[in-house]
C-alpha cells in the first residue's frame, strides 16, 4: 500500500498528479502551517510568459494552518483568473473542457484556502481518471497528532501503508530509518515530466495541469507518469 501525504495546491502542476497516480492513498495534509509556496498560486503558460494565478488571502498571519487561512472574496479573483485562462488558451483544442472544470471549482462553496486548493486537486484527478485507482483521505479527519517524521509515519501506518512516497523536499527533515524500523519503506518521486503538445515555445512542465487539460483533453492522462526510487539511492548516507 503506497501512501502519499501532501499539502493541497491550487490547480497544481502535473507533478502532483503524478504523485496521485503512484499512490494507493493520497492524504490531503492541510492542517499544517501555511508557508510561502504553491498552495495558493500557480503559473500559466501564455504567449508572453508564465504569469502567476494567485488566490488572495484575507487576514493571513504567521502560524495559521492552511485549512484556517481565509480566501479574500472582497475582490473578484475568480473572474480575473478565468479571463487569463480564456485568453491564454484561446486556440487550445480543449479550452472549453478546461474552463468548465475550473468553473466548477470556482462555483463550489469555499471559505478557506484548503477548500479551494483541495477542490482543484480533486477536480483534476477526476478529469484524468486518477480517482479510480487512488483513494483520498484528509489528515485532519484521522485525528493523529505529532510532528514531522512522527506524524507522517503514524498516518502511513494508520492507513496500512507499506511504502511512504514523498517529494524531494523531505530529504531535509525526514528520519528515514524510523520508517524502516517498523517495516515501512520510503521512496522518493522520480517525476516523469513527459512533454506533451503545448503552445508558446519550448515545453515546460512547471505550469498548472490545466495546461495539459486544455491542450490534450482527458486523453492527457497518458502523459501523467512517474516512478519512485528507494530513499537510499537519493539521500547521502553517512559511512
Amino acid at each position: 500500500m503506497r501512501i502519499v501525504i501532501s499539502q493541497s495546491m491550487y490547480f497544481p502542476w502535473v507533478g502532483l498528479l503524478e504523485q496521485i497516480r503512484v499512490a494507493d492513498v493520497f492524504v490531503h495534509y492541510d492542517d499544517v502551517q501555511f508557508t510561502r509556496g504553491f498552495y495558493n498560486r500557480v503559473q500559466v503558460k501564455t504567449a508572453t510568459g508564465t504569469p502567476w494565478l494567485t488566490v488572495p488571502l484575507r487576514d493571513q498571519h504567521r502560524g495559521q494552518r492552511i485549512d484556517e487561512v481565509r480566501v479574500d472574496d472582497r475582490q473578484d479573483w475568480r473572474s480575473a483568473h478565468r479571463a487569463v485562462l480564456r485568453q491564454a488558451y484561446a486556440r487550445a483544442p480543449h479550452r472549453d473542457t478546461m474552463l468548465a472544470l475550473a468553473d466548477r471549482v470556482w462555483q463550489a462553496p469555499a471559505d478557506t484556502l484548503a477548500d479551494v486548493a483541495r477542490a482543484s486537486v480533486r477536480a483534476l484527478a477526476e478529469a484524468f481518471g486518477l480517482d479510480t485507482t487512488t483513494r483520498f483521505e484528509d489528515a485532519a479527519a484521522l485525528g493523529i497528532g505529532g510532528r514531522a517524521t512522527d506524524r507522517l509515519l503514524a498516518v502511513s501506518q494508520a492507513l496500512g501503508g507499506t511504502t511512504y512516497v514523498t517529494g524531494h523536499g523531505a530529504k531535509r527533515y525526514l528520519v528515514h530509518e524510523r520508517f524502516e524500523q517498523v517495516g515501512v519503506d520510503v521512496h522518493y518521486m522520480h517525476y516523469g515530466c513527459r512533454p506533451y503538445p503545448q503552445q508558446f515555445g519550448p515545453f515546460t512542465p512547471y505550469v498548472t495541469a490545466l495546461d495539459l487539460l486544455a491542450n490534450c483533453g482527458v486523453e492527457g492522462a497518458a502523459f501523467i507518469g512517474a516512478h519512485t526510487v528507494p530513499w537510499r539511492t537519493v539521500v547521502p548516507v553517512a559511512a
Side-chain angles (χ1 to χ4, degrees), residues 101-182:
L101 179 146
D103 284 339
R104 288 195 298 273
V105 171
W106 292 326
Q107 291 164 6
D111 294 321
T112 70
L113 173 59
D115 293 335
V116 175
R118 190 174 305 185
S120 71
V121 170
R122 295 289 290 275
L124 284 167
E126 290 167 10
F128 291 116
L130 305 181
D131 60 322
T132 62
T133 55
T134 301
R135 186 173 90 244
F136 293 86
E137 297 283 353
D138 177 5
L142 297 175
I144 296 173
R147 298 180 59 189
T149 293
D150 290 339
R151 190 177 187 216
L152 295 170
L153 176 56
V155 169
S156 299
Q157 290 181 298
L159 295 171
T162 54
T163 302
Y164 170 61
V165 180
T166 185
H168 287 255
K171 290 187 289 187
R172 300 191 305 268
Y173 64 84
L174 203 66
V175 184
H176 306 82
E177 292 83 358
R178 290 285 309 283
F179 284 79
E180 286 188 337
Q181 289 168 2
V182 295

